[in-house]
Amino acid sequence: HRLAVLMPDCRMCDMVQREPLCIRVSLIHATNLMLQLQEFLGEGAGRNVQRTFEQFPALLLADDVPSTVRTTSAHILKLKPVMSDFPERVTKVLKQNPSMLYRVHLYDTLEECPFDIQNLLTHPLDGKAEREERYRAEWEEWDNAEDYFDPIEWMLDGYDDSNENDELDSGPHDIHDDE
């Protein structure tokens, strides 16, 4: 197959099995897509480009990589709206995991996504509001507690010696009371 010339490290039989229509892709179109994906991923991504097309040959059916990146980014933002404040994070995830260009479109909600995709889309701000509310509630509970710890009852070492002090302070003791 002519794609084998372009991608010598790829197993063409596996690619055709995954996406039968990749047989019809012209060599020029495949070359353009590979160059565009290489440009998107950056320097040193040559083997990663071939591996991405081998694992997800349906990417060979895309019109071009930039439009695929745009539609994938839009889909990720639909799945995870909090990421809209951090578009560079979305681009970074796509560059580090080019398989997402194909895979993420298979799911309509974040909960349907496999855990590896969900983990890639986690963000430090996830659940921040819930954590802050839980923190405030705990502090309010502690402020309103009636049986709080009274430090006067305890010594610095945590030993309660209030009974010992009562015996010592109960009055004068005469040592010579033997008579």
Side-chain angles (χ1 to χ4, degrees):
H1 191 267
R2 60 184 174 250
L3 286 178
V5 173
L6 184 62
M7 297 182 258
D9 294 337
C10 295
R11 294 184 306 262
M12 288 299 135
C13 294
D14 292 345
M15 289 177 66
V16 171
Q17 188 176 14
R18 290 182 186 122
E19 180 54 65
L21 294 177
C22 76
I23 291 177
R24 296 184 184 169
V25 173
S26 74
L27 199 57
I28 293 171
H29 182 72
T31 304
N32 286 334
L33 289 175
M34 287 184 69
L35 292 173
Q36 290 171 357
L37 186 60
Q38 174 116 23
E39 183 180 329
F40 174 69
L41 296 178
E43 291 182 34
R47 283 193 160 317
N48 204 13
V49 169
Q50 288 188 30
R51 192 174 317 118
T52 300
F53 282 116
E54 181 180 16
Q55 291 175 346
F56 302 98
L59 286 174
L60 289 168
L61 305 178
D63 291 334
D64 63 2
V65 171
S67 66
T68 303
V69 169
R70 282 192 300 278
T71 58
T72 303
S73 297
H75 191 70
I76 288 173
L77 295 178
K78 184 183 122 201
L79 294 175
K80 186 86 171 190
V82 74
M83 303 273 294
S84 62
D85 294 336
F86 306 95
E88 69 281 350
R89 171 96 170 110
V90 174
T91 303
K92 182 179 176 183
V93 166
L94 291 176
K95 284 183 177 185
Q96 291 175 345
N97 305 281
S99 65
M100 294 272 288
L101 291 170
Y102 175 76
R103 292 181 62 211
V104 78
H105 291 283
L106 301 174
Y107 308 100
D108 295 324
T109 64
L110 187 63
E111 292 75 29
E112 292 176 359
C113 294
F115 285 119
D116 65 323
I117 291 177
Q118 289 184 30
N119 290 339
L120 291 171
L121 299 180
T122 58
H123 192 273
L125 294 180
D126 289 351
K128 183 179 179 187
E130 292 85 13
R131 287 192 308 270
E132 287 175 352
E133 182 58 35
R134 201 170 44 240
Y135 180 78
R136 275 192 227 102
E138 284 183 30
W139 272 108
E140 285 179 22
E141 182 181 325
W142 291 339
D143 275 347
N144 298 332
E146 292 186 20
D147 58 340
Y148 61 90
F149 172 72
D150 186 6
I152 297 173
E153 295 177 10
W154 295 88
M155 296 291 289
L156 291 176
D157 63 357
Y159 177 73
D160 182 12
D161 62 351
S162 60
N163 292 338
E164 291 176 11
N165 288 339
D166 290 344
E167 291 174 6
L168 293 175
D169 295 335
S170 63
H173 296 285
D174 195 0
I175 299 175
H176 301 290
D177 269 346
D178 293 342
E179 297 174 28

